Amino acid sequence: MHIVSRIMARPHGTPARGCPASLVAQYNHVVPPAASLPEILERYWGYTSFRPLQREAMDAVLAGQDSLLVLPTGGGKSLCFQAPALLRDGLAVVVSPLISLMKDQVDTLTGNGVSAACYNSSLSSEKKSEVARGVREGRYRLLYVAPERLVGEGSDGFLSLIGAQKLSFIAVDEAHCISQWGHDFRPEYRQLGQLRDRFPGVSLHAFTATATTRVRRDILTQLGLREPQELVGSFDRPNLVYRVLARAGLKKQILDVLGRHKGQSGIVYCPSRREVDALAAWLADEGYRARAYHAGLSDVERHRNQDAFLNEEIDIIVATVAFGMGIDRSDVRFVIHAGAPQSLEHYQQESGRAGRDGLEAECVLIYSAGDFLKWRSMLEKNGELSDARRALMRDMERYAASVGCRHKRLVGYFGETFGKDDCAACDYCLGELEGVDDAVTLARKILSAVARTGQRFGAAHVTSVLRGQASEQVVLRGHDQIPTFGLLGDASIDEVRGYIDQLIGHGLLRQTEDGYPVLQLTPEGVALLKDAGAEPGLSLARQKKPEKGRLPRRSKVESESWEGVDRELFERLRAMRLEIARGRGVPPYVIFHDTTLRELARLKPTSLAGLRTVYGMGTRKLDELGAVVLETIHAHAGTSA
Ligand code: ADP
């Protein structure tokens, strides 16, 4: 495409693969004196407002006050150290755990006209010298480094390099890596506390998406933050639509989700490598552009598949939990869990990779009660099944089987109160679940089965009794002879398990926490069982059978974000973006986010002045890409007129 090749001709040539564009971009970076944060945001990022807590976090960085910012994935943490770095005097050092993360951020910054570089083990010695020279010449505003550059053996050379510069501040990204209670503990992070002694006058700022208090405390103490400003944002992700499906024909359930996301990208998480390989092969056979990712693949293959996903060569990655941090692709439109994860923390992290750009995305959990049994036996075999892990798993199990607003439950789990009654973005609030007619009678049947089996059995056994399954255990205990045997003969296992979990949620049943979880009646449960009077507030629900050919109701955020968008133009702009990205050797989301493309396809600006007002269109983007964007819009108008 001729239009693209023109803007691809960069003054310094296209950077080689694996080498950030920033290493070769040497334009002078001049921030006008007395520029303000809003001006910086507008000029370099094309953003006109702050997201929640960004202003406060940036002010702390500007004031040189130590800080900890906790925001969910996609909340906009990076901007909180990037924007102030342009206003403060000196070099900002950013500690980041992964080379791919650094590379993405540096590419994005460079594309926005901010001079930044990274210094890590992936660079050749010439590149390292080049960056070192840049640092000495004061050419960069931000320098991304791995923790081992700053602490431990072999860090002396680098420390004396930056020690000779004026540092504006040090930002520690993915700061939960410092904590053994976090997901991604990294021993090198543990030593970062030494930075305080080494650079006593430089403020430290930590950033993480991990909400638990224990991890937060760990970050504060390990880093030795001084009177830090602690900012913890809301963990709700309003643009994510959550659905939970009891597993019943996994492949068909997956195809249903994919049918709602034609040509879009997503992740399918599986609990084991074997399942990953099988599902990836099946999807490829079905004609989807899908590949596998797990720790059992060779390094080369794993990287090849990950890059293919990031560079939009494929749409779907089928993966174990090994696929995660460092995935900055912002237009992931669905995350399917083909099996329950171990904990809600895991679920929040993994599903949270959807919709980082703030546009609608769907998170579907397809689970069965057996998933948890598998986890338990696997952890037990590895000697890792602690009480804490069991409890975490039970919370996940309860979420999966619960009926009620998913957003409310998820944020509630992380200690937050959810203000809305209807999130309009989960299966419950979108009316995909149906209430049972006589919940009280149903509840009594179940409570009675628990009572009559002596409150000594788990949900699986009670379910067998209620469904009238004369299993070996049931017969052995004589439970096929009791009056509750077969009372729910028509219901599926998932349905009955779902009801049991709802009764736990309503506080009518409880599961013992020690050893094998046994169902017991709570005093409220006993009261309901004895009391002939109805309990007006009790409701129980099950999955509605979908009407043939009818798609689920759209979430509000989905309808809104597509409103007025010319889809054909959007696709053209996507193709344009892909070509620019290929030419530059960077992933497409580094060029423009989908949010920007949708706004372009909605507003269809015809002049540079019009383009300037579009979300995500900073000055450098406008200078470099404005013409090609206008030409694409123009060409589309020509063909569609
Ligand atoms: P996090 O690091 O918290 O996961 P990011 O920093 O990657 O989140 O931000 C997510 C997306 O939101 C990025 O594309 C970012 O450019 C965008 N973003 C951040 N702040 C703003 C803002 N104030 N206005 C509009 N978009 C923003």
Side-chain angles (χ1 to χ4, degrees):
M1 193 160 113
H2 73 283
I3 328 170
V4 174
S5 54
R6 198 177 65 221
I7 49 115
M8 279 174 349
R10 293 167 58 80
H12 312 288
T14 304
R17 246 184 116 58
C19 158
S22 58
L23 290 177
V24 283
Q26 303 199 357
Y27 42 82
N28 279 330
H29 173 92
V30 188
V31 180
S36 66
L37 276 174
E39 281 164 4
I40 293 284
L41 247 54
E42 162 96 62
R43 179 185 323 222
Y44 292 94
W45 281 270
Y47 300 155
T48 47
S49 59
F50 293 93
R51 295 245 181 99
L53 293 186
Q54 281 187 326
R55 181 82 216 211
E56 291 82 349
M58 291 184 199
D59 282 345
V61 178
L62 287 181
Q65 181 191 4
D66 285 0
S67 62
L68 167 64
L69 175 64
V70 188
L71 281 182
T73 307
K77 291 182 288 297
S78 329
L79 204 64
C80 296
F81 53 83
Q82 292 169 343
L86 290 169
L87 285 176
R88 283 197 60 183
D89 206 16
L91 175 70
V93 174
V94 182
V95 184
S96 176
L98 284 184
I99 290 170
S100 57
L101 271 182
M102 297 185 206
K103 182 173 148 30
D104 257 12
Q105 293 214 1
V106 168
D107 284 345
T108 307
L109 284 167
T110 309
N112 285 341
V114 178
S115 61
C118 57
Y119 194 92
N120 60 43
S121 56
S122 77
L123 303 186
S124 64
S125 47
E126 295 94 79
K127 297 262 162 54
K128 281 187 186 148
S129 321
E130 194 180 322
V131 175
R133 200 174 333 115
V135 168
R136 270 183 233 107
E137 290 169 4
R139 220 189 296 149
Y140 309 118
R141 309 298 307 181
L142 296 112
L143 183 66
Y144 282 74
V145 296
E148 48 271 27
R149 289 286 139 206
L150 296 169
V151 289
E153 275 174 47
S155 58
D156 291 350
F158 183 76
L159 282 172
S160 46
L161 169 70
I162 59 166
Q165 315 304 314
K166 179 173 170 49
L167 298 188
S168 49
F169 59 88
I170 299 174
V172 181
D173 203 5
E174 309 289 351
H176 58 278
C177 294
I178 213 167
S179 172
Q180 305 218 33
W181 300 103
H183 290 277
D184 312 292
F185 174 56
R186 301 276 298 251
E188 317 84 72
Y189 259 68
R190 208 65 176 176
Q191 302 170 47
L192 285 175
Q194 297 167 17
L195 291 174
R196 178 87 300 159
D197 301 328
R198 178 85 199 206
F199 303 101
V202 179
S203 61
L204 285 175
H205 307 276
F207 301 84
T208 181
T210 303
T212 62
T213 328
R214 190 139 57 167
V215 173
R216 250 186 271 157
R217 293 273 82 74
D218 242 8
I219 295 173
L220 297 178
T221 44
Q222 299 282 337
L223 279 180
L225 297 189
R226 280 185 308 234
E227 295 176 26
Q229 167 89 291
E230 235 184 297
L231 300 161
V232 183
S234 165
F235 267 69
D236 187 40
R237 300 277 311 274
N239 60 319
L240 302 188
V241 176
Y242 296 106
R243 294 194 164 92
V244 180
L245 300 172
R247 185 153 66 229
L250 177 66
K251 288 181 174 170
K252 165 147 194 333
Q253 288 173 313
I254 292 179
L255 289 179
D256 280 351
V257 180
L258 299 185
R260 297 197 281 271
H261 298 279
K262 294 215 167 69
Q264 298 181 338
S265 80
I267 308 173
V268 181
Y269 279 110
C270 298
S272 74
R273 295 174 191 179
R274 196 175 41 80
E275 288 158 283
V276 166
D277 288 334
L279 268 187
W282 166 71
L283 282 173
D285 274 354
E286 293 283 312
Y288 289 93
R289 302 196 304 167
R291 285 202 206 156
Y293 186 102
H294 58 70
L297 299 175
S298 69
D299 277 359
V300 175
E301 196 172 358
R302 228 179 36 243
H303 281 126
R304 191 180 334 122
N305 292 356
Q306 169 165 326
D307 284 348
F309 181 67
L310 297 181
N311 295 324
E312 289 188 13
E313 286 157 33
I314 58 169
D315 299 318
I316 303 171
I317 195 103
V318 186
T320 58
V321 289
F323 184 76
M325 192 163 66
I327 304 313
D328 252 357
R329 183 165 177 175
S330 60
D331 66 341
V332 172
R333 298 269 77 88
F334 61 90
V335 172
I336 300 175
H337 276 79
Q342 281 182 55
S343 71
L344 274 173
E345 277 88 349
H346 281 90
Y347 188 61
Q348 155 99 3
Q349 287 265 336
E350 290 156 21
S351 60
R353 302 203 166 102
R356 289 176 69 116
D357 52 15
L359 295 173
E360 83 293 339
E362 182 177 1
C363 304
V364 184
L365 169 62
I366 306 174
Y367 88 108
S368 89
D371 297 343
F372 299 100
L373 298 176
K374 273 192 219 151
W375 279 124
R376 283 190 191 107
S377 75
M378 194 202 85
L379 292 171
E380 186 129 56
K381 213 167 70 201
N382 299 344
E384 295 170 353
L385 188 57
S386 59
D387 285 352
R389 298 253 336 234
R390 279 179 203 275
L392 291 172
M393 225 181 289
R394 244 171 255 143
D395 288 329
M396 182 70 230
E397 195 169 5
R398 248 169 248 163
Y399 167 84
S402 71
V403 179
C405 173
R406 310 271 175 209
H407 282 262
K408 186 173 185 164
R409 259 194 110 90
L410 276 172
V411 300
Y413 180 76
F414 292 101
E416 203 179 316
T417 327
F418 191 65
K420 287 181 267 181
D421 283 336
D422 175 4
C423 71
C426 75
D427 50 3
Y428 182 77
C429 294
L430 290 171
E432 295 164 16
L433 305 175
E434 64 186 348
V436 298
D437 283 341
D438 187 355
V440 173
T441 305
L442 177 60
R444 288 212 175 100
K445 288 179 181 171
I446 296 168
L447 296 176
S448 164
V450 173
R452 285 184 183 266
T453 51
Q455 308 195 52
R456 288 189 294 116
F457 295 90
H461 186 84
V462 174
T463 303
S464 297
V465 172
L466 281 161
R467 295 182 66 240
Q469 293 199 306
S471 67
E472 203 181 315
Q473 276 298 317
V474 170
V475 175
L476 189 72
R477 314 269 171 186
H479 291 160
D480 54 340
Q481 304 300 322
I482 58 177
T484 41
F485 182 76
L487 273 185
L488 301 181
D490 292 339
S492 68
I493 296 181
D494 293 324
E495 204 176 322
V496 178
R497 290 295 297 257
Y499 296 142
I500 290 175
D501 278 290
Q502 290 168 57
L503 293 177
I504 295 170
H506 287 298
L508 297 167
L509 280 177
R510 67 164 170 252
Q511 271 180 312
T512 53
E513 294 287 323
D514 50 332
Y516 179 74
V518 165
L519 287 177
Q520 295 178 338
L521 300 181
T522 61
E524 292 77 12
V526 174
L528 181 70
L529 197 52
K530 284 191 183 151
D531 181 9
E535 171 95 347
L538 184 66
S539 62
L540 296 170
R542 66 177 159 239
Q543 201 77 43
K544 233 187 238 175
K545 297 236 168 5
E547 283 170 45
K548 249 196 142 64
R550 239 192 81 204
L551 290 177
R553 204 182 107 199
R554 284 226 222 144
S555 73
K556 191 157 159 267
V557 44
E558 182 175 4
S559 341
E560 278 174 10
S561 66
W562 279 112
E563 205 169 318
V565 173
D566 179 333
R567 292 225 186 194
E568 252 175 61
L569 176 55
F570 174 73
E571 291 303 329
R572 262 190 192 230
L573 290 164
R574 266 184 87 188
M576 169 204 82
R577 172 177 69 181
L578 187 59
E579 216 154 327
I580 298 170
R582 294 257 157 92
R584 291 190 177 187
V586 296
Y589 54 83
V590 159
I591 307 292
F592 285 123
H593 282 303
D594 276 15
T595 333
T596 303
L597 298 191
R598 286 202 202 170
E599 200 167 312
L600 287 169
R602 181 184 296 120
L603 301 175
K604 304 182 186 177
T606 51
S607 67
L608 284 175
L611 271 189
R612 193 181 296 278
T613 64
V614 169
Y615 170 95
M617 196 62 84
T619 307
R620 171 159 288 249
K621 290 267 157 79
L622 196 70
D623 288 351
E624 283 190 356
L625 304 175
V628 71
V629 170
L630 288 178
E631 271 182 69
T632 306
I633 295 174
H634 187 70
H636 174 72
T639 53
S640 62

